[in-house]
């Protein structure tokens, strides 16, 4: 799973003026004598994502031979580290792959173009995309990112490894107590870890909060969305118990994992891995053996399993080729051949027409992800939207506190107080 690295965007960003203005029409029909256009497109991901994205770019260039696409890609850490100074220098690529955590800071710094005019002029087609899903890329009435797919929190399980260790497998309605008992038993019987380190505490602590009817942020985005710190304490005390008994890897172990090929479930050191559903494809390829996809424990799974845009494509306000960029975004989301190559790796496609066309050609493993996300989407009517201003700093603080707890520098009780105090100050100052 991606390992988060954060920087405070306000320290490196400057405000830029500009707007979409009147769209310069780019004829989609191939013809000679057109002005040559070069688009720069940036994304993060593992090698399989890079490989198929280059295939999609080739298909796009065949359809629009006067548009050349210059790809820029990196892993998650390097991506954001390199993108911030480009924003400060007014040199963002024409299209940037965006995450909900960063959508509001970039848009509030006037770096992203509202995609609504391109939809209104039918450059980006949304007739087969629900407004509910589109809303995941909106801030107020402006669409600053078009979702590339949707996903939901999940656990990948090596059924054979788990069953051979403890002779049982999680039931659909399993609980946190069941989870803890299973991973402890795995360690006792095999000496392996029972689960990975549940990195990205903002993701899985947020899931835990939702199963209890709470959220990480309040509706106004100016404070935390839960009042009872016992929820924080219970969550991290569970992690401490697993850590102390050897069923949970130490933070210094997980920090050494830089590639998906090194993840504990891939190397056979753990039968469970906490992920987002679209990551299943990467783990399946890296492990080269059968893996399953199940919901995290409950009770309250129907509340916890909200869907979210797995990632989005945003357009730089500084782009000189806005309609060509819109054409690529439309192609990526709506083209059947392109999505037959993508196969949902960036999340289940948001176009119902695309899903209908490509589902029949999916493998059984690919169908598992589509079914999993569709069930979550039909169960929960909520679609996650952009995190509030200050969330980058809040998540960094949550990670810092989590590491201090797991290294036993502070207790979960102390961590709960520190996190509440620091997060409240950050959010109240920003909003």
């Amino acid at each position: 799973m991606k390992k988060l690295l954060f920087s405070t965007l306000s320290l490196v960003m400057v405000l830029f003026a500009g707007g979409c203005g009147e769209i310069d029409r780019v004829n989609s029909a191939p013809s000679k004598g057109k002005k040559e256009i070069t688009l720069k497109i940036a994304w993060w991901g593992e090698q399989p994502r890079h490989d198929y994205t280059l295939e999609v770019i080739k298909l796009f260039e065949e359809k629009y031979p006067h548009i050349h696409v210059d790809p820029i890609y990196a892993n998650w850490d390097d991506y954001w580290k390199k993108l911030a100074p480009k924003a400060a220098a007014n040199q963002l690529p024409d299209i940037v792959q965006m995450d909900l955590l960063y959508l509001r800071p970039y848009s509030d710094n006037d770096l992203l173009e509202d995609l609504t005019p391109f939809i209104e002029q039918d450059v980006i087609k949304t007739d087969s995309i629900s407004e509910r899903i589109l809303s995941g890329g909106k801030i107020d009435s402006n669409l600053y990112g078009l979702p590339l797919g949707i996903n939901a929190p999940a656990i990948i399980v090596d059924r054979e490894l788990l069953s051979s260790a403890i002779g049982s497998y999680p039931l659909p309605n399993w609980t946190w107590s069941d989870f803890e008992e299973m991973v402890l038993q795995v360690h006792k019987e095999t000496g392996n870890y029972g689960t990975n380190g549940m990195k990205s505490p903002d993701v899985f602590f947020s899931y835990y909060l939702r199963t209890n009817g709470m959220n990480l942020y309040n509706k106004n985005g100016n404070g935390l969305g839960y009042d009872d710190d016992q929820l924080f304490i219970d969550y991290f005390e569970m992690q401490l118990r697993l850590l102390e008994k050897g069923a949970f890897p130490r933070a210094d172990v997980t920090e050494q994992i830089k590639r998906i090929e090194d993840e504990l479930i891939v190397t056979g050191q753990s039968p469970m891995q906490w992920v987002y559903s679209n990551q299943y494809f990467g783990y399946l390829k890296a492990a080269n053996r059968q893996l399953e996809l199940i919901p995290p424990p409950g009770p309250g799974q129907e509340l916890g399993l909200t869907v979210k845009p797995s990632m989005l494509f945003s357009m730089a306000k500084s782009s000189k080729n806005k309609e060509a960029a819109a054409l690529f975004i439309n192609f990526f989301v709506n083209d059947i051949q392109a999505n037959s190559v993508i196969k949902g790796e960036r999340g289940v496609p948001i176009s119902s027409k695309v899903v209908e066309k490509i589902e029949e050609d999916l493998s059984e493993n690919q169908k598992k992800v589509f079914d999993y996300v569709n069930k979550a989407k039909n169960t929960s009517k909520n679609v996650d939207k952009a995190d509030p201003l200050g969330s980058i700093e809040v998540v960094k603080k949550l990670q810092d506190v989590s590491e201090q707890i797991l290294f036993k520098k502070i207790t979960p009780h102390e961590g709960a107080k520190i996190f509440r105090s620091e997060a409240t100050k950050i959010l109240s100052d920003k909003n």
Side-chain angles (χ1 to χ4, degrees):
M1 188 185 301
K2 65 190 180 188
K3 181 174 179 287
L4 297 179
L5 176 71
F6 298 95
S7 61
T8 304
L9 291 174
S10 58
L11 295 179
V12 294
M13 285 188 171
V14 294
L15 296 177
F16 301 108
C20 181
E22 185 176 346
I23 295 173
D24 294 327
R25 304 301 297 177
V26 176
N27 192 339
S28 64
S31 65
K32 295 180 180 180
K34 286 192 177 166
K35 178 183 176 183
E36 295 292 320
I37 295 173
T38 296
L39 283 179
K40 292 189 176 185
I41 300 176
W43 69 87
W44 73 81
E46 300 281 351
Q47 192 60 48
R49 179 177 296 167
H50 304 332
D51 293 341
Y52 79 70
T53 304
L54 295 176
E55 289 185 52
V56 173
I57 287 173
K58 184 178 179 181
L59 291 173
F60 176 79
E61 290 176 332
E62 289 173 356
K63 184 172 183 179
Y64 302 96
H66 60 295
I67 304 176
H68 172 70
V69 178
D70 185 6
I72 304 166
Y73 48 89
N75 62 34
W76 170 269
D77 286 0
D78 291 339
Y79 180 82
W80 297 108
K81 191 186 300 183
K82 294 175 180 178
L83 206 61
K86 286 183 179 294
N90 201 13
Q91 294 177 349
L92 276 180
D94 299 278
I95 299 172
V96 290
Q97 189 169 284
M98 185 56 61
D99 186 84
L100 288 183
L101 184 64
Y102 288 86
L103 186 63
R104 195 178 295 271
Y106 272 77
S107 63
D108 273 31
N109 277 282
D110 204 27
L111 295 168
L112 305 181
E113 189 65 77
D114 178 15
L115 298 177
T116 306
F118 301 97
I119 293 174
E120 292 173 345
Q121 298 187 38
D122 209 30
V123 182
I124 298 176
K125 302 181 185 301
T126 59
D127 54 298
S128 62
I129 302 171
S130 76
E131 182 59 37
R132 184 162 67 101
I133 301 301
L134 280 179
S135 70
K138 283 188 174 182
I139 295 177
D140 299 325
S141 60
N142 295 328
L143 183 68
Y144 288 118
L146 196 76
L148 301 182
I150 54 174
N151 61 10
I155 295 180
I156 295 175
V157 181
D158 185 325
R159 180 188 288 267
E160 184 176 343
L161 194 61
L162 182 63
S163 297
S164 63
I166 64 175
S168 62
Y169 191 76
L171 297 173
N173 62 342
W174 67 322
T175 66
W176 288 100
S177 295
D178 296 331
F179 164 74
E180 189 169 352
E181 183 180 339
M182 283 185 177
V183 298
L184 287 172
Q185 191 177 352
V186 167
H187 179 68
K188 180 180 178 181
E189 297 295 332
T190 67
N192 288 332
Y193 300 114
T195 181
N196 70 316
M198 293 168 68
K199 291 179 288 185
S200 303
D202 58 306
V203 176
F204 301 116
F205 178 52
S206 293
Y207 167 81
Y208 179 76
L209 288 173
R210 290 196 301 273
T211 63
N212 286 277
M214 303 295 171
N215 290 285
L216 185 58
Y217 306 108
N218 65 23
K219 290 182 179 180
N220 295 324
N222 58 3
L224 294 176
Y226 64 99
D227 295 324
D228 186 1
D229 278 344
Q230 192 61 45
L231 292 169
F232 183 104
I233 294 165
D234 290 346
Y235 179 82
F236 284 99
E237 281 186 341
M238 173 191 66
Q239 293 202 13
L240 267 184
R241 288 194 298 271
L242 298 178
L243 178 69
E244 289 169 350
K245 295 181 180 179
F248 193 93
R250 300 185 313 275
D252 58 321
V253 173
T254 59
E255 285 173 358
Q256 300 305 309
I257 299 173
K258 305 298 184 183
R259 308 176 307 150
I260 194 170
E261 291 82 5
D262 301 324
E263 293 286 1
L264 298 178
I265 194 169
V266 174
T267 59
Q269 295 175 273
S270 169
M272 295 187 196
Q273 185 91 13
W274 291 69
V275 296
Y276 263 115
S277 55
N278 67 297
Q279 295 174 294
Y280 174 75
F281 300 116
Y283 279 93
L284 199 64
K285 184 171 183 177
N288 195 29
R289 62 182 188 275
Q290 185 57 42
L291 301 171
E292 305 299 330
L293 193 69
I294 66 171
Q301 291 165 317
E302 68 283 355
L303 297 173
L305 285 174
T306 56
V307 297
K308 63 167 285 187
S310 51
M311 55 207 72
L312 313 97
F313 268 159
S314 295
M315 184 190 300
K317 181 157 279 192
S318 60
S319 171
K320 305 301 182 185
N321 301 296
K322 290 192 173 85
E323 188 179 346
L327 286 172
F328 184 87
I329 293 172
N330 178 71
F331 183 84
F332 203 94
V333 170
N334 287 308
D335 188 83
I336 302 301
Q337 190 177 3
N339 279 276
S340 295
V341 174
I342 300 168
K343 288 185 169 64
E345 191 278 333
R346 276 180 166 91
V348 173
I350 63 174
S351 166
S352 59
K353 289 181 181 177
V354 167
V355 171
E356 182 181 346
K357 290 293 185 181
I358 71 171
E359 265 190 324
E360 57 193 42
D361 296 324
L362 296 176
S363 68
E364 288 303 311
N365 284 323
Q366 289 161 346
K367 287 178 181 177
K368 287 178 184 177
V369 178
F370 278 53
D371 291 344
Y372 181 88
V373 173
N374 284 330
K375 184 176 181 180
K377 182 179 70 173
N378 294 332
T379 300
S380 172
K381 299 304 179 186
N382 295 322
V383 174
D384 291 351
K385 298 177 176 60
D387 293 315
L389 284 176
S391 58
I392 295 174
E393 294 96 321
V394 170
V395 170
K396 184 180 185 301
K397 176 54 63 176
L398 181 58
Q399 287 186 308
D400 290 344
V401 170
S402 172
E403 289 181 5
Q404 290 184 64
I405 292 172
L406 297 180
F407 277 116
K408 297 186 179 179
K409 294 181 179 178
I410 59 175
T411 67
H413 287 76
E414 292 169 330
K417 291 179 180 179
I418 293 171
F419 177 64
R420 177 169 295 281
S421 174
E422 296 284 343
T424 300
K425 184 178 186 307
I426 292 168
L427 294 168
S428 61
D429 287 348
K430 294 280 187 178
N431 294 276

